[in-house]
Amino acid sequence: MLYDFLKRFAVRPLLRIFFKIDIQGLHNVPESGGAILASNHLSVSDSVFLPASLERSVIFLAKDDYFNGKGIKGRFVAWFFRSINQLPMDRSGGKKSAASLASANVALAEGKLLGIYPEGTRSPDGRLYRAKLGVAKLALETGVPVIPIAMINTDKVQPIGQRIPHPGRVGIKIGKPLNFSHLQDEASNPVVMREVADEIRKAINVLSGQIYADVYAPTKAKKKN
């Protein structure tokens, strides 16, 4: 499988050469079974550092733009993202977003690890933004544990607008699993979904120490000067 080959023989060796990764709480990731890895999102490289640091394979929900390109380049990009365990996520809301979450439900039911960014996009300024309800809906519908995760300093090694990260030190803090299985009957209750999403966000916030912005993150970030 391309994912495992790249992870073990390309990505990990390169990360060990150019980066110092401080990781805490590896024991909080279950050795088997479905689980949601809910992380803050500071940089494109978050989706590289986190899965490369774990033994188990991680599937990520990625914006569907990566899968809808045209021409040879577009088809190659779509193939590559699917090959490295990325699932397309439509962020427009409604039925399309529901269909995207359905594919994530299937992955969790199959006992896989699913990485998701509750904010829905990268933070444009380093703050932690309000969690969208998708992560809560997945947690309630599947009953799998949610593992809060904080990525530290990834925005320093690869700021918005920078294509290739520069060498540096990053951190990954993995918190204790959150269990919402007792609320599965409330999977369609928007009030409960909001409470669950907020609890997940708070757990991430404790790990990351970020300033919290009680609004949804803008979907288009500006480059830093």
Side-chain angles (χ1 to χ4, degrees):
M1 187 177 183
L2 180 61
Y3 174 92
D4 290 321
F5 177 82
L6 291 176
K7 175 178 175 178
R8 298 183 185 282
F9 300 107
V11 177
R12 275 184 178 171
L14 286 173
L15 293 183
R16 287 168 179 163
I17 293 171
F18 294 106
F19 300 93
K20 171 62 177 176
I21 303 176
D22 298 317
I23 185 165
Q24 302 174 26
L26 269 176
H27 60 280
N28 289 320
V29 179
E31 295 183 359
S32 62
I36 297 170
L37 305 179
S39 173
N40 63 337
H41 195 15
L42 298 174
S43 169
V44 171
S45 60
D46 293 333
S47 298
V48 176
F49 285 113
L50 178 57
S53 301
L54 303 180
E55 285 303 314
R56 292 184 63 186
S57 296
V58 181
I59 294 174
F60 269 98
L61 288 174
K63 61 181 180 180
D64 59 352
D65 295 11
Y66 295 130
F67 303 85
N68 298 328
K70 297 180 180 180
I72 295 176
K73 180 180 178 181
R75 289 195 295 272
F76 173 78
V77 170
W79 168 81
F80 178 75
F81 271 81
R82 291 185 189 279
S83 297
I84 59 171
N85 286 2
Q86 306 285 306
L87 294 176
M89 177 66 201
D90 188 297
R91 299 182 293 179
S92 61
K95 293 182 178 179
K96 290 184 178 180
S97 293
S100 299
L101 290 176
S103 64
N105 266 330
V106 171
L108 291 169
E110 292 174 346
K112 297 177 181 177
L113 285 181
L114 177 76
I116 188 171
Y117 301 115
E119 296 165 275
T121 188
R122 282 174 293 167
S123 171
D125 54 17
R127 293 186 294 173
L128 184 68
Y129 284 80
R130 198 177 195 206
K132 294 189 175 183
L133 297 183
V135 64
K137 186 173 180 63
L138 282 173
L140 291 171
E141 288 181 346
T142 63
V144 302
V146 179
I147 318 296
I149 295 174
M151 305 301 294
I152 311 293
N153 288 335
T154 52
D155 56 336
K156 302 296 190 298
V157 300
Q158 189 179 17
I160 292 174
Q162 182 171 308
R163 291 189 175 184
I164 301 175
H166 58 75
R169 191 184 197 99
V170 301
I172 302 174
K173 294 182 179 180
I174 304 173
K176 295 181 179 179
L178 304 175
N179 190 337
F180 302 103
S181 59
H182 60 291
L183 297 172
Q184 276 189 276
D185 292 341
E186 302 290 338
S188 298
N189 186 328
V191 174
V192 174
M193 283 196 289
R194 181 74 264 159
E195 291 175 349
V196 169
D198 287 344
E199 185 173 340
I200 294 169
R201 189 274 306 165
K202 289 175 183 176
I204 295 171
N205 211 167
V206 169
L207 294 170
S208 71
Q210 292 167 273
I211 295 172
Y212 174 56
D214 194 18
V215 294
Y216 291 119
T219 55
K220 290 186 178 180
K222 297 179 180 180
K223 290 183 180 181
K224 293 182 179 179
N225 295 324

